[in-house]
Short mmCIF file of all heavy atoms in Angstrom, two decimals:
data_model
loop_
_atom_site.label_atom_id
_atom_site.label_comp_id
_atom_site.label_asym_id
_atom_site.label_seq_id
_atom_site.Cartn_x
_atom_site.Cartn_y
_atom_site.Cartn_z
N MET A 1 84.85 95.98 125.41
CA MET A 1 84.08 97.06 125.02
C MET A 1 82.60 96.70 125.14
O MET A 1 81.90 97.62 125.58
CB MET A 1 84.56 97.61 123.62
CG MET A 1 83.94 98.82 123.12
SD MET A 1 84.80 99.24 121.49
CE MET A 1 83.70 100.62 121.16
N TYR A 2 82.18 95.67 124.54
CA TYR A 2 80.90 95.25 124.64
C TYR A 2 80.61 93.73 124.50
O TYR A 2 81.46 93.12 123.69
CB TYR A 2 79.99 95.89 123.40
CG TYR A 2 78.50 95.64 123.45
CD1 TYR A 2 77.70 96.38 124.26
CD2 TYR A 2 77.92 94.58 122.74
CE1 TYR A 2 76.32 96.24 124.37
CE2 TYR A 2 76.53 94.32 122.68
CZ TYR A 2 75.85 95.07 123.57
OH TYR A 2 74.42 94.85 123.64
N ASN A 3 79.85 93.16 125.22
CA ASN A 3 79.63 91.79 125.30
C ASN A 3 78.19 91.43 125.76
O ASN A 3 77.74 91.82 126.65
CB ASN A 3 80.64 91.02 126.15
CG ASN A 3 80.61 89.48 125.98
OD1 ASN A 3 80.20 89.05 125.04
ND2 ASN A 3 81.17 88.78 126.97
N ASP A 4 77.37 90.66 124.86
CA ASP A 4 76.18 90.15 125.20
C ASP A 4 76.04 88.77 124.62
O ASP A 4 76.96 88.08 124.20
CB ASP A 4 75.01 91.17 124.86
CG ASP A 4 74.71 91.32 123.37
OD1 ASP A 4 75.31 90.38 122.55
OD2 ASP A 4 74.00 92.10 123.01
N GLU A 5 74.68 88.27 124.56
CA GLU A 5 74.54 86.90 124.05
C GLU A 5 74.79 86.64 122.62
O GLU A 5 75.06 85.56 122.15
CB GLU A 5 73.14 86.37 124.50
CG GLU A 5 72.02 87.15 123.85
CD GLU A 5 71.59 88.37 124.65
OE1 GLU A 5 72.08 88.62 125.84
OE2 GLU A 5 70.84 89.23 124.13
N GLY A 6 74.79 87.85 121.98
CA GLY A 6 74.89 87.69 120.43
C GLY A 6 76.02 88.37 119.85
O GLY A 6 76.48 88.18 118.77
N LEU A 7 76.78 89.32 120.56
CA LEU A 7 77.75 90.14 120.04
C LEU A 7 78.95 90.31 121.08
O LEU A 7 78.80 90.48 122.26
CB LEU A 7 77.25 91.45 119.73
CG LEU A 7 78.05 92.51 118.93
CD1 LEU A 7 78.44 92.11 117.60
CD2 LEU A 7 77.37 93.78 118.88
N TYR A 8 80.19 90.27 120.45
CA TYR A 8 81.40 90.54 121.28
C TYR A 8 82.21 91.48 120.50
O TYR A 8 82.45 91.30 119.33
CB TYR A 8 82.12 89.10 121.43
CG TYR A 8 83.55 89.18 121.88
CD1 TYR A 8 83.64 89.36 123.30
CD2 TYR A 8 84.59 89.17 121.15
CE1 TYR A 8 84.98 89.52 123.90
CE2 TYR A 8 85.80 89.22 121.71
CZ TYR A 8 86.04 89.44 122.95
OH TYR A 8 87.20 89.49 123.60
N VAL A 9 82.51 92.59 121.23
CA VAL A 9 83.19 93.77 120.56
C VAL A 9 84.48 93.94 121.51
O VAL A 9 84.27 94.26 122.74
CB VAL A 9 82.37 95.00 120.44
CG1 VAL A 9 83.30 96.08 119.87
CG2 VAL A 9 81.24 94.73 119.57
N VAL A 10 85.73 93.89 120.93
CA VAL A 10 86.85 94.35 121.80
C VAL A 10 87.77 95.27 121.06
O VAL A 10 87.86 95.27 119.76
CB VAL A 10 87.61 92.93 122.01
CG1 VAL A 10 88.33 92.35 120.84
CG2 VAL A 10 88.69 93.17 123.01
N GLU A 11 88.21 96.26 121.86
CA GLU A 11 89.04 97.27 121.23
C GLU A 11 90.51 97.00 121.54
O GLU A 11 90.84 96.64 122.62
CB GLU A 11 88.58 98.62 121.78
CG GLU A 11 89.29 99.85 121.20
CD GLU A 11 88.71 101.08 121.64
OE1 GLU A 11 87.92 101.11 122.66
OE2 GLU A 11 89.04 102.20 121.15
N TYR A 12 91.35 97.27 120.51
CA TYR A 12 92.80 97.12 120.58
C TYR A 12 93.34 98.55 120.39
O TYR A 12 93.67 98.89 119.35
CB TYR A 12 93.30 96.10 119.62
CG TYR A 12 92.78 94.87 119.79
CD1 TYR A 12 91.74 94.28 118.77
CD2 TYR A 12 93.14 93.82 120.73
CE1 TYR A 12 91.29 93.04 119.08
CE2 TYR A 12 92.72 92.59 120.75
CZ TYR A 12 91.68 92.26 120.00
OH TYR A 12 91.15 91.06 119.99
N PRO A 13 93.47 99.33 121.47
CA PRO A 13 93.90 100.76 121.27
C PRO A 13 95.25 100.87 120.74
O PRO A 13 95.56 101.81 120.03
CB PRO A 13 93.65 101.34 122.67
CG PRO A 13 93.21 100.19 123.64
CD PRO A 13 93.05 98.98 122.85
N GLY A 14 96.18 100.09 121.15
CA GLY A 14 97.47 100.16 120.65
C GLY A 14 97.62 99.93 119.13
O GLY A 14 98.72 100.10 118.66
N HIS A 15 96.64 99.31 118.61
CA HIS A 15 96.59 98.95 117.24
C HIS A 15 95.62 99.73 116.35
O HIS A 15 95.37 99.46 115.19
CB HIS A 15 96.39 97.35 117.00
CG HIS A 15 97.41 96.54 117.64
ND1 HIS A 15 98.70 96.35 116.98
CD2 HIS A 15 97.49 95.90 118.81
CE1 HIS A 15 99.39 95.62 117.75
NE2 HIS A 15 98.73 95.30 118.82
N ASP A 16 94.96 100.69 117.16
CA ASP A 16 93.78 101.41 116.52
C ASP A 16 92.84 100.46 115.81
O ASP A 16 92.52 100.72 114.60
CB ASP A 16 94.38 102.44 115.52
CG ASP A 16 93.41 103.48 115.17
OD1 ASP A 16 92.39 103.73 115.96
OD2 ASP A 16 93.55 104.10 114.01
N ALA A 17 92.40 99.44 116.45
CA ALA A 17 91.55 98.47 115.78
C ALA A 17 90.40 97.95 116.73
O ALA A 17 90.65 97.95 117.91
CB ALA A 17 92.36 97.24 115.39
N ILE A 18 89.37 97.51 116.10
CA ILE A 18 88.21 97.01 116.87
C ILE A 18 87.83 95.63 116.18
O ILE A 18 87.80 95.48 114.94
CB ILE A 18 86.95 97.76 116.88
CG1 ILE A 18 87.26 99.12 117.59
CG2 ILE A 18 85.76 97.12 117.40
CD1 ILE A 18 86.14 100.11 117.61
N GLU A 19 87.62 94.61 117.03
CA GLU A 19 87.13 93.34 116.54
C GLU A 19 85.83 93.10 116.97
O GLU A 19 85.36 93.31 118.06
CB GLU A 19 88.15 92.13 117.28
CG GLU A 19 87.64 90.78 116.64
CD GLU A 19 88.56 89.69 117.41
OE1 GLU A 19 89.18 89.96 118.50
OE2 GLU A 19 88.68 88.66 116.84
N VAL A 20 85.02 92.64 116.00
CA VAL A 20 83.53 92.42 116.27
C VAL A 20 83.35 90.99 115.94
O VAL A 20 83.60 90.47 114.74
CB VAL A 20 82.66 93.36 115.26
CG1 VAL A 20 81.24 93.00 115.54
CG2 VAL A 20 83.13 94.79 115.62
N ILE A 21 82.67 90.23 116.75
CA ILE A 21 82.24 88.83 116.52
C ILE A 21 80.75 88.65 116.76
O ILE A 21 80.23 89.03 117.83
CB ILE A 21 82.95 87.75 117.53
CG1 ILE A 21 84.42 87.98 117.43
CG2 ILE A 21 82.50 86.54 117.29
CD1 ILE A 21 85.07 87.54 116.12
N ASP A 22 80.08 88.35 115.75
CA ASP A 22 78.65 87.91 115.94
C ASP A 22 78.54 86.50 116.19
O ASP A 22 78.85 85.64 115.44
CB ASP A 22 77.94 88.38 114.49
CG ASP A 22 76.31 88.08 114.70
OD1 ASP A 22 75.98 87.11 115.45
OD2 ASP A 22 75.65 88.87 113.92
N LYS A 23 78.19 86.26 117.49
CA LYS A 23 78.15 84.90 118.09
C LYS A 23 77.11 84.10 117.38
O LYS A 23 77.26 82.82 117.32
CB LYS A 23 77.92 84.97 119.59
CG LYS A 23 78.97 85.67 120.31
CD LYS A 23 78.74 85.78 121.87
CE LYS A 23 79.64 86.64 122.61
NZ LYS A 23 79.16 86.82 123.96
N ARG A 24 76.06 84.62 116.98
CA ARG A 24 74.98 83.90 116.35
C ARG A 24 75.43 83.37 114.94
O ARG A 24 75.03 82.19 114.58
CB ARG A 24 73.76 84.75 116.22
CG ARG A 24 73.21 85.27 117.52
CD ARG A 24 72.25 86.35 117.37
NE ARG A 24 72.99 87.54 116.90
CZ ARG A 24 72.63 88.76 116.90
NH1 ARG A 24 71.47 88.94 117.36
NH2 ARG A 24 73.43 89.75 116.61
N LEU A 25 76.08 84.25 114.17
CA LEU A 25 76.62 83.71 112.86
C LEU A 25 77.89 82.97 112.84
O LEU A 25 78.33 82.31 111.92
CB LEU A 25 76.83 85.01 111.97
CG LEU A 25 75.49 85.87 111.71
CD1 LEU A 25 75.85 87.05 110.88
CD2 LEU A 25 74.45 84.99 111.00
N GLY A 26 78.65 83.25 114.10
CA GLY A 26 80.04 82.61 114.11
C GLY A 26 80.98 83.39 113.13
O GLY A 26 81.89 82.72 112.60
N ARG A 27 80.83 84.58 112.75
CA ARG A 27 81.52 85.37 111.87
C ARG A 27 82.01 86.60 112.63
O ARG A 27 81.36 87.13 113.55
CB ARG A 27 80.78 85.73 110.67
CG ARG A 27 79.93 84.63 110.11
CD ARG A 27 80.62 83.63 109.25
NE ARG A 27 80.83 83.97 107.76
CZ ARG A 27 81.93 83.28 107.22
NH1 ARG A 27 82.65 82.54 107.96
NH2 ARG A 27 82.07 83.45 105.97
N GLY A 28 83.22 87.27 112.02
CA GLY A 28 83.57 88.36 112.61
C GLY A 28 84.34 89.26 111.82
O GLY A 28 84.47 89.06 110.51
N MET A 29 84.92 90.44 112.15
CA MET A 29 85.57 91.31 111.48
C MET A 29 86.54 92.06 112.36
O MET A 29 86.35 92.15 113.47
CB MET A 29 84.82 92.33 110.74
CG MET A 29 84.14 93.31 111.63
SD MET A 29 82.95 94.45 110.79
CE MET A 29 82.07 95.25 112.05
N VAL A 30 87.54 92.63 111.67
CA VAL A 30 88.52 93.65 112.38
C VAL A 30 88.43 94.89 111.60
O VAL A 30 88.66 94.79 110.31
CB VAL A 30 89.95 93.09 112.58
CG1 VAL A 30 90.86 94.04 113.07
CG2 VAL A 30 89.87 91.72 113.45
N ILE A 31 88.30 95.97 112.17
CA ILE A 31 88.32 97.23 111.53
C ILE A 31 89.30 98.17 112.14
O ILE A 31 89.60 97.89 113.42
CB ILE A 31 86.86 97.88 111.37
CG1 ILE A 31 86.18 98.00 112.78
CG2 ILE A 31 85.97 97.15 110.46
CD1 ILE A 31 84.86 98.61 112.90
N ARG A 32 89.80 99.09 111.36
CA ARG A 32 90.92 99.83 111.84
C ARG A 32 90.67 101.34 111.48
O ARG A 32 89.80 101.69 110.70
CB ARG A 32 92.26 99.53 111.33
CG ARG A 32 92.60 98.13 111.70
CD ARG A 32 94.02 97.79 111.43
NE ARG A 32 94.74 98.85 112.14
CZ ARG A 32 96.11 98.99 111.96
NH1 ARG A 32 96.84 98.16 111.29
NH2 ARG A 32 96.74 99.85 112.62
N SER A 33 91.45 102.19 112.10
CA SER A 33 91.54 103.64 111.80
C SER A 33 90.03 104.33 111.79
O SER A 33 89.40 104.16 112.77
CB SER A 33 92.16 103.82 110.45
OG SER A 33 93.49 103.15 110.46
N GLU A 34 89.82 105.04 110.74
CA GLU A 34 88.51 105.81 110.68
C GLU A 34 87.37 105.02 110.77
O GLU A 34 86.36 105.29 111.38
CB GLU A 34 88.50 106.58 109.36
CG GLU A 34 89.59 107.76 109.24
CD GLU A 34 89.40 108.77 110.38
OE1 GLU A 34 88.29 109.21 110.69
OE2 GLU A 34 90.47 109.23 111.08
N ALA A 35 87.34 103.65 110.20
CA ALA A 35 86.31 102.91 110.31
C ALA A 35 86.06 102.48 111.75
O ALA A 35 84.83 102.31 112.19
CB ALA A 35 86.37 101.67 109.43
N ALA A 36 87.14 102.20 112.54
CA ALA A 36 86.91 101.82 113.85
C ALA A 36 86.33 102.99 114.71
O ALA A 36 85.55 102.82 115.63
CB ALA A 36 88.26 101.34 114.43
N LEU A 37 86.79 104.22 114.50
CA LEU A 37 86.28 105.38 115.22
C LEU A 37 84.73 105.44 114.88
O LEU A 37 84.02 105.69 115.82
CB LEU A 37 86.94 106.63 114.70
CG LEU A 37 88.42 106.76 115.13
CD1 LEU A 37 89.02 108.01 114.44
CD2 LEU A 37 88.55 106.91 116.63
N ARG A 38 84.37 105.39 113.70
CA ARG A 38 82.92 105.50 113.25
C ARG A 38 82.12 104.35 114.04
O ARG A 38 81.07 104.68 114.56
CB ARG A 38 82.74 105.44 111.78
CG ARG A 38 81.28 105.63 111.52
CD ARG A 38 81.22 105.61 109.94
NE ARG A 38 79.77 105.70 109.64
CZ ARG A 38 79.28 105.55 108.41
NH1 ARG A 38 80.03 105.60 107.49
NH2 ARG A 38 77.97 105.60 108.16
N PHE A 39 82.74 103.05 113.97
CA PHE A 39 81.99 102.03 114.64
C PHE A 39 81.81 102.27 116.08
O PHE A 39 80.73 101.98 116.64
CB PHE A 39 82.56 100.83 114.32
CG PHE A 39 81.99 99.57 114.93
CD1 PHE A 39 80.85 98.94 114.35
CD2 PHE A 39 82.45 99.02 116.19
CE1 PHE A 39 80.28 97.98 114.92
CE2 PHE A 39 81.67 98.08 116.88
CZ PHE A 39 80.67 97.28 116.16
N ARG A 40 82.88 102.72 116.66
CA ARG A 40 82.90 102.94 118.18
C ARG A 40 81.73 103.98 118.57
O ARG A 40 80.95 103.79 119.42
CB ARG A 40 84.14 103.41 118.58
CG ARG A 40 84.30 103.59 120.18
CD ARG A 40 85.58 104.23 120.51
NE ARG A 40 86.83 103.50 120.00
CZ ARG A 40 87.61 103.99 119.20
NH1 ARG A 40 87.64 105.13 118.72
NH2 ARG A 40 88.60 103.18 118.85
N MET A 41 81.72 104.99 117.66
CA MET A 41 80.76 106.07 117.93
C MET A 41 79.38 105.61 117.77
O MET A 41 78.49 105.82 118.59
CB MET A 41 81.07 107.32 117.07
CG MET A 41 80.10 108.47 117.16
SD MET A 41 80.46 109.86 116.00
CE MET A 41 80.04 109.09 114.41
N GLU A 42 78.97 104.93 116.67
CA GLU A 42 77.68 104.36 116.38
C GLU A 42 77.31 103.26 117.42
O GLU A 42 76.08 103.31 117.82
CB GLU A 42 77.71 103.73 115.01
CG GLU A 42 77.74 104.86 113.89
CD GLU A 42 77.80 104.29 112.58
OE1 GLU A 42 77.54 103.10 112.30
OE2 GLU A 42 78.07 105.07 111.56
N LEU A 43 78.29 102.49 117.71
CA LEU A 43 77.82 101.52 118.82
C LEU A 43 77.63 102.18 120.15
O LEU A 43 76.70 101.85 120.80
CB LEU A 43 78.96 100.46 119.10
CG LEU A 43 78.66 99.30 120.04
CD1 LEU A 43 77.44 98.46 119.67
CD2 LEU A 43 79.96 98.51 120.28
N GLY A 44 78.31 103.22 120.49
CA GLY A 44 78.04 103.95 121.75
C GLY A 44 76.62 104.59 121.75
O GLY A 44 75.99 104.44 122.73
N ARG A 45 76.29 105.15 120.61
CA ARG A 45 74.96 105.66 120.60
C ARG A 45 73.90 104.72 120.65
O ARG A 45 72.89 104.79 121.26
CB ARG A 45 74.86 106.46 119.21
CG ARG A 45 75.36 107.84 119.22
CD ARG A 45 74.76 108.60 118.11
NE ARG A 45 76.01 109.12 117.40
CZ ARG A 45 76.22 109.30 116.11
NH1 ARG A 45 75.46 108.74 115.31
NH2 ARG A 45 77.30 109.88 115.65
N ALA A 46 74.12 103.51 119.99
CA ALA A 46 73.15 102.39 120.10
C ALA A 46 72.94 101.96 121.60
O ALA A 46 71.84 101.74 122.09
CB ALA A 46 73.46 101.22 119.23
N VAL A 47 74.12 101.70 122.21
CA VAL A 47 74.01 101.35 123.59
C VAL A 47 73.34 102.36 124.54
O VAL A 47 72.31 102.05 125.41
CB VAL A 47 75.42 100.93 124.13
CG1 VAL A 47 75.36 100.67 125.78
CG2 VAL A 47 75.88 99.68 123.48
N GLU A 48 73.65 103.61 124.29
CA GLU A 48 73.13 104.67 125.26
C GLU A 48 71.59 104.99 124.84
O GLU A 48 70.86 105.52 125.74
CB GLU A 48 73.89 105.96 124.98
CG GLU A 48 75.31 105.76 125.57
CD GLU A 48 76.22 107.02 125.25
OE1 GLU A 48 75.69 108.05 124.60
OE2 GLU A 48 77.36 107.09 125.60
N SER A 49 71.18 104.52 123.71
CA SER A 49 69.80 104.84 123.36
C SER A 49 68.73 104.13 124.27
O SER A 49 67.59 104.64 124.34
CB SER A 49 69.47 104.38 121.92
OG SER A 49 69.34 102.94 121.81
N GLY A 50 69.11 103.03 125.03
CA GLY A 50 68.21 102.46 125.84
C GLY A 50 67.24 101.43 125.15
O GLY A 50 66.33 100.86 125.82
N ASP A 51 67.45 101.36 123.85
CA ASP A 51 66.62 100.37 123.10
C ASP A 51 67.11 98.95 123.27
O ASP A 51 66.52 98.02 122.63
CB ASP A 51 66.60 100.69 121.62
CG ASP A 51 65.84 102.02 121.43
OD1 ASP A 51 65.00 102.46 122.36
OD2 ASP A 51 66.04 102.67 120.43
N GLY A 52 68.07 98.65 123.96
CA GLY A 52 68.52 97.37 124.26
C GLY A 52 69.24 96.74 123.06
O GLY A 52 69.76 97.43 122.18
N GLY A 53 69.08 95.46 122.75
CA GLY A 53 69.75 94.75 121.73
C GLY A 53 69.28 95.09 120.39
O GLY A 53 69.99 94.88 119.52
N GLU A 54 68.04 95.61 120.32
CA GLU A 54 67.57 96.00 118.97
C GLU A 54 68.36 97.06 118.41
O GLU A 54 68.68 97.11 117.18
CB GLU A 54 66.05 96.38 119.10
CG GLU A 54 65.39 96.60 117.74
CD GLU A 54 63.86 96.81 117.90
OE1 GLU A 54 63.32 96.10 118.75
OE2 GLU A 54 63.36 97.76 117.09
N ALA A 55 68.77 98.08 119.18
CA ALA A 55 69.56 99.25 118.67
C ALA A 55 70.97 98.77 118.19
O ALA A 55 71.53 99.19 117.21
CB ALA A 55 69.65 100.40 119.66
N VAL A 56 71.52 97.90 119.06
CA VAL A 56 72.83 97.31 118.75
C VAL A 56 72.73 96.49 117.47
O VAL A 56 73.61 96.62 116.72
CB VAL A 56 73.34 96.51 119.88
CG1 VAL A 56 74.57 95.76 119.60
CG2 VAL A 56 73.62 97.39 121.18
N ASP A 57 71.67 95.55 117.29
CA ASP A 57 71.39 94.91 116.04
C ASP A 57 71.37 95.82 114.91
O ASP A 57 71.89 95.57 113.91
CB ASP A 57 70.33 93.95 116.17
CG ASP A 57 70.56 92.80 117.07
OD1 ASP A 57 71.58 92.59 117.54
OD2 ASP A 57 69.37 92.21 117.51
N ASP A 58 70.58 96.87 115.06
CA ASP A 58 70.56 97.83 113.94
C ASP A 58 71.75 98.46 113.54
O ASP A 58 72.11 98.68 112.33
CB ASP A 58 69.45 98.99 114.30
CG ASP A 58 68.06 98.59 114.23
OD1 ASP A 58 67.82 97.50 113.68
OD2 ASP A 58 67.20 99.36 114.82
N CYS A 59 72.67 98.69 114.66
CA CYS A 59 73.95 99.31 114.26
C CYS A 59 74.76 98.25 113.50
O CYS A 59 75.46 98.58 112.64
CB CYS A 59 74.63 99.76 115.60
SG CYS A 59 76.28 100.32 115.52
N LEU A 60 74.75 97.02 114.06
CA LEU A 60 75.58 96.05 113.38
C LEU A 60 75.14 95.63 112.06
O LEU A 60 75.98 95.29 111.21
CB LEU A 60 75.56 94.70 114.32
CG LEU A 60 76.48 93.60 113.80
CD1 LEU A 60 77.97 94.08 113.92
CD2 LEU A 60 76.17 92.48 114.72
N ASP A 61 73.92 95.87 111.70
CA ASP A 61 73.29 95.61 110.32
C ASP A 61 74.14 96.37 109.30
O ASP A 61 74.29 95.89 108.08
CB ASP A 61 71.84 95.99 110.30
CG ASP A 61 70.93 94.78 110.87
OD1 ASP A 61 71.56 93.61 111.08
OD2 ASP A 61 69.81 95.10 111.03
N HIS A 62 74.52 97.68 109.74
CA HIS A 62 75.36 98.44 108.65
C HIS A 62 76.61 97.92 108.33
O HIS A 62 77.17 98.20 107.32
CB HIS A 62 75.57 99.81 109.20
CG HIS A 62 74.24 100.53 109.54
ND1 HIS A 62 73.58 101.06 108.32
CD2 HIS A 62 73.49 100.91 110.51
CE1 HIS A 62 72.49 101.71 108.81
NE2 HIS A 62 72.36 101.56 110.02
N TYR A 63 77.14 97.05 109.26
CA TYR A 63 78.56 96.39 109.10
C TYR A 63 78.46 94.94 108.67
O TYR A 63 79.43 94.34 108.50
CB TYR A 63 79.34 96.64 110.34
CG TYR A 63 79.52 98.10 110.63
CD1 TYR A 63 78.73 98.91 111.37
CD2 TYR A 63 80.76 98.71 110.15
CE1 TYR A 63 78.97 100.19 111.61
CE2 TYR A 63 80.93 100.11 110.31
CZ TYR A 63 80.07 100.77 111.17
OH TYR A 63 80.41 102.08 111.45
N GLY A 64 77.26 94.47 108.51
CA GLY A 64 77.08 93.05 108.29
C GLY A 64 77.87 92.48 107.07
O GLY A 64 78.34 91.25 107.14
N GLY A 65 77.98 93.30 106.01
CA GLY A 65 78.86 92.72 104.92
C GLY A 65 80.24 92.51 105.33
O GLY A 65 80.93 91.88 104.46
N LEU A 66 80.82 93.11 106.27
CA LEU A 66 82.16 92.89 106.72
C LEU A 66 82.37 91.81 107.71
O LEU A 66 83.55 91.35 107.87
CB LEU A 66 82.65 94.26 107.46
CG LEU A 66 82.59 95.59 106.57
CD1 LEU A 66 83.02 96.63 107.44
CD2 LEU A 66 83.52 95.44 105.40
N LEU A 67 81.35 91.13 108.01
CA LEU A 67 81.49 90.01 109.00
C LEU A 67 81.67 88.71 108.21
O LEU A 67 80.81 87.87 107.95
CB LEU A 67 80.12 89.89 109.81
CG LEU A 67 79.94 90.96 110.82
CD1 LEU A 67 78.47 90.84 111.34
CD2 LEU A 67 80.87 90.92 111.96
N ASN A 68 82.90 88.63 107.64
CA ASN A 68 83.18 87.60 106.80
C ASN A 68 84.26 86.66 107.16
O ASN A 68 84.65 85.75 106.47
CB ASN A 68 83.53 88.22 105.39
CG ASN A 68 84.56 89.23 105.37
OD1 ASN A 68 85.37 89.18 106.29
ND2 ASN A 68 84.82 89.89 104.24
N GLN A 69 84.87 86.76 108.38
CA GLN A 69 85.83 85.93 108.81
C GLN A 69 85.14 84.85 109.86
O GLN A 69 84.55 85.31 110.76
CB GLN A 69 86.98 86.76 109.58
CG GLN A 69 87.62 87.62 108.68
CD GLN A 69 88.44 87.05 107.56
OE1 GLN A 69 89.03 86.10 107.79
NE2 GLN A 69 88.22 87.44 106.38
N PRO A 70 85.60 83.60 109.71
CA PRO A 70 84.94 82.72 110.58
C PRO A 70 85.57 82.92 111.95
O PRO A 70 86.73 83.25 112.19
CB PRO A 70 85.43 81.24 110.12
CG PRO A 70 85.95 81.48 108.80
CD PRO A 70 86.21 83.01 108.57
N ALA A 71 84.77 82.88 113.06
CA ALA A 71 85.11 83.01 114.33
C ALA A 71 85.43 81.67 114.98
O ALA A 71 84.68 81.05 115.68
CB ALA A 71 84.14 83.62 115.14
N ILE A 72 86.72 81.24 114.70
CA ILE A 72 87.08 79.73 115.12
C ILE A 72 87.30 79.70 116.67
O ILE A 72 86.98 78.75 117.27
CB ILE A 72 88.16 79.42 114.24
CG1 ILE A 72 87.82 79.34 112.82
CG2 ILE A 72 88.74 77.96 114.68
CD1 ILE A 72 88.89 79.04 111.87
N TYR A 73 88.19 80.73 117.12
CA TYR A 73 88.62 80.54 118.45
C TYR A 73 87.83 81.30 119.49
O TYR A 73 88.18 81.47 120.65
CB TYR A 73 90.03 81.10 118.54
CG TYR A 73 91.03 80.31 117.68
CD1 TYR A 73 91.50 80.79 116.48
CD2 TYR A 73 91.29 79.08 117.97
CE1 TYR A 73 92.28 80.12 115.55
CE2 TYR A 73 92.11 78.30 117.13
CZ TYR A 73 92.58 78.96 115.99
OH TYR A 73 93.39 78.11 115.19
N HIS A 74 86.73 81.96 119.18
CA HIS A 74 85.88 82.81 120.09
C HIS A 74 84.85 81.95 120.78
O HIS A 74 83.89 81.43 120.28
CB HIS A 74 85.44 84.06 119.58
CG HIS A 74 86.61 84.85 119.25
ND1 HIS A 74 87.16 85.75 120.25
CD2 HIS A 74 87.31 85.24 118.11
CE1 HIS A 74 88.10 86.51 119.60
NE2 HIS A 74 88.21 86.06 118.35
#
């Protein structure tokens, strides 16, 4: 779904889930259902805004408290 030097986002449509890994922090989260739909919409807007990584970082800041799982295998 999205991949750059600092962020990895993958969607699991069969599970109605999105996994987000902040590569800089080495932390991640998995969100499902309505939270996943909202995140997808907000990330889409950030990418389409043309502000580059700054808009994506701003989007991720809203979800920063959920990035609490160590990203061991990524």
